[in-house]
């Protein structure tokens, strides 16, 4: 028998320190956890339950949807819409704000999510994840409009991700550090296994999709070239490279042993200043990374300070070990 702290216990104990807390947030988080357990189960069963493969539809971002993109989006909605904690939801897989059905009460929070991050990996049994971010509704108990969601990342009340890897983990911040929980399937509970996660300040590991190299800007070209020169170049040490193509898996690796992850500004498509989405990916991950002592930037500005212009806005992302990200930001300042 384990004697670990469950996620519910952890959140309730954390909430006791917040004056005026009503338990709403704990209840909301429990609904998110239910969705994550359901998604973990579907991802894990995979081909046994016929959820692999692509659909013929595209999402609002122009990306072909996987069956699981749509199924997991539905799971997040069904689990979180009914309890009266939310005034609206927005997701990478839905064109517009999802209004809470009128048969349910409205609440004081907003939730945004990427239901299945790294979904190009699902058919090949490589790690995928779910990313979520909780904001306060500007006007509680009123159906949320798009403008209500366009809050800078510093306003997030909570951000987290689930990683469906060799084990299922939930990593969470409410602005008081970062804690990691592992799903014990036998009892159906997330148990605190990674308290107070901290990103090592130094690293010799970088992550970038090198197939985009010809589109990168000069500062990123310089940084990667210097990493590749290794111990014979200006950095004076050999680097290692990883690319999982699941941001959740990359961020989890960085939280565990350090590293730098870049999906930088490039010239591939003038209409997209980056690939990753500010609301669903960059903001929640930046909140977690900063709370673990790391840095997250577009190269030019702190991501958490950006005021979003629209729900599906994309941004460049450079995040990870403090000292390494600072090297790249220095190259951006030099131009
Ligand atoms: P999603 O599956 O939600 O669309 O996100 C995929 C993202 C991110 O998780 C990953 O780091 C990146 O896209 C992978 O991009 P490449 O296809 O360029 O490798
Ligand atoms: Mn994603
Ligand atoms: Mn996705």
């Amino acid at each position: 028998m384990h004697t670990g702290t469950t996620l519910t216990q952890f959140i309730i104990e954390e909430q006791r320190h917040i004056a005026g807390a009503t338990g709403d947030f704990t209840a909301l988080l429990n609904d998110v956890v239910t969705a994550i357990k359901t998604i973990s189960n579907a991802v894990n069963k995979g081909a046994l339950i016929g959820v692999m493969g692509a659909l013929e539809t595209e999402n609002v971002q122009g990306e072909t949807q996987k069956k699981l993109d749509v199924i997991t989006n539905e799971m997040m909605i069904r689990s979180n819409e009914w309890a009266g904690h939310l005034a609206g939801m927005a997701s990478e897989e839905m064109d517009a704000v999802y209004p809470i059905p009128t048969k349910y009460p409205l609440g004081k929070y907003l939730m945004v999510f990427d239901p299945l991050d790294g979904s190009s990996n699902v058919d090949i049994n490589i790690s995928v994840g779910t990313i979520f971010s909780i904001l306060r509704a500007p006007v509680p108990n009123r159906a949320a409009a798009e403008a209500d969601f366009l809050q800078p990342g510093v306003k997030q009340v909570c951000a987290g991700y689930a990683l469906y890897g060799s084990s299922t983990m939930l990593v969470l911040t409410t602005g008081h550090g970062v804690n990691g929980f592992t799903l014990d399937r036998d009892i159906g509970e997330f148990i605190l296994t990674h308290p107070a996660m901290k990103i090592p300040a130094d690293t010799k590991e970088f992550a970038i999709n090198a197939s985009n190299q010809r589109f990168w800007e000069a500062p990123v070209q310089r940084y990667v070239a210097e990493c590749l020169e290794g111990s014979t170049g200006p950095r004076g040490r050999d680097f290692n490279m990883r690319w999982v193509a699941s941001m959740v898996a990359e961020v989890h690796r960085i939280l565990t042993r350090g590293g730098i992850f870049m999906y930088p500004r490039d010239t591939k498509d003038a209409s997209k200043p980056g690939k990753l989405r500010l609301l669903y990916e960059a903001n929640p991950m930046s909140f977690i990374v900063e709370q673990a002592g790391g840095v997250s930037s577009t190269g030019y500005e702190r991501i958490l300070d950006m005021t979003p212009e629209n729900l599906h806005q994309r941004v460049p992302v450079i995040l990870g070990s403090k000292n390494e990200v600072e090297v790249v930001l220095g190259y951006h300042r030099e131009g």
Side-chain angles (χ1 to χ4, degrees):
M1 201 190 109
H2 77 85
T3 51
T5 307
T6 68
L7 175 57
T8 309
Q9 186 183 351
F10 180 87
I11 296 298
I12 289 175
E13 285 179 359
E14 211 175 55
Q15 192 179 264
R16 285 199 191 120
H17 303 297
I18 303 168
T22 58
D24 260 17
F25 176 73
T26 305
L28 169 59
L29 211 60
N30 267 326
D31 292 341
V32 177
V33 167
T34 303
I36 283 168
K37 287 181 196 167
T38 314
I39 294 171
S40 174
N41 195 39
V43 167
N44 191 254
K45 292 229 163 70
L48 293 174
I49 54 170
V51 294
M52 299 283 105
L55 296 168
E56 286 182 355
T57 50
E58 280 188 355
N59 65 11
V60 64
Q61 337 257 342
E63 298 163 339
T64 305
Q65 287 180 305
K66 297 279 184 181
K67 275 190 206 168
L68 267 173
D69 282 322
V70 175
I71 293 168
T72 56
N73 191 64
E74 200 64 21
M75 287 169 169
M76 284 295 278
I77 289 174
R78 291 291 94 84
S79 191
N80 289 295
E81 67 180 351
W82 60 274
H85 308 305
L86 293 175
M89 288 184 249
S91 154
E92 185 182 289
E93 301 300 337
M94 296 187 285
D95 299 7
V97 168
Y98 177 81
I100 303 299
T102 49
K103 63 180 168 182
Y104 299 128
L106 292 166
K108 61 184 178 205
Y109 294 107
L110 304 175
M111 190 159 71
V112 301
F113 56 88
D114 174 358
L116 196 64
D117 175 64
S119 57
S120 72
N121 282 333
V122 287
D123 295 330
I124 55 170
N125 206 351
I126 301 275
S127 298
V128 289
T130 298
I131 310 172
F132 65 93
S133 156
I134 297 170
L135 297 158
R136 246 174 248 292
V139 181
N141 313 319
R142 183 199 69 185
E146 171 164 346
D148 297 339
F149 288 83
L150 305 182
Q151 308 180 30
V154 285
K155 294 263 177 82
Q156 291 170 100
V157 174
C158 171
Y161 65 78
L163 173 64
Y164 314 111
S166 42
S167 50
T168 289
M169 283 194 66
L170 181 60
V171 172
L172 200 68
T173 186
T174 55
H176 308 282
V178 178
N179 291 284
F181 303 81
T182 304
L183 180 60
D184 183 337
R185 286 187 190 276
D186 293 339
I187 58 167
E189 289 278 5
F190 278 98
I191 306 295
L192 180 64
T193 48
H194 296 59
M197 297 176 87
K198 284 281 169 224
I199 301 176
D202 292 296
T203 182
K204 292 195 277 187
E205 204 161 56
F206 69 100
I208 191 164
N209 183 343
S211 70
N212 293 323
Q213 180 174 8
R214 66 190 187 284
F215 305 112
W216 298 338
E217 295 182 333
V220 172
Q221 296 280 6
R222 175 181 169 191
Y223 173 74
V224 173
E226 289 181 357
C227 289
L228 296 177
E229 283 180 70
S231 54
T232 55
R235 301 301 307 278
R237 60 183 199 260
D238 291 330
F239 280 76
N240 199 0
M241 207 287 286
R242 287 287 180 276
W243 187 251
V244 189
S246 269
M247 188 193 199
V248 167
E250 321 270 10
V251 168
H252 192 70
R253 184 184 64 247
I254 290 170
L255 277 170
T256 309
R257 67 178 188 209
I260 180 168
F261 167 88
M262 291 172 284
Y263 219 116
R265 182 186 298 266
D266 64 32
T267 57
K268 197 172 183 177
D269 178 345
S271 68
K272 295 178 189 163
K275 171 165 185 184
L276 298 171
R277 277 85 13 163
L278 176 57
L279 264 69
Y280 320 114
E281 294 166 324
N283 267 345
M285 290 313 207
S286 298
F287 191 19
I288 291 168
V289 164
E290 286 198 5
Q291 284 292 318
V295 177
S296 182
S297 168
T298 63
Y300 301 94
E301 63 184 312
R302 182 186 180 212
I303 287 177
L304 291 180
D305 284 337
M306 297 178 75
T307 299
E309 284 158 19
N310 58 69
L311 278 185
H312 300 293
Q313 182 176 349
R314 295 175 191 256
V315 287
V317 175
I318 298 172
L319 60 76
S321 291
K322 185 172 186 296
N323 295 340
E324 203 59 26
V325 176
E326 293 297 350
V327 171
V328 185
L329 300 189
Y331 293 172
H332 280 80
R333 281 192 291 273
E334 286 173 35

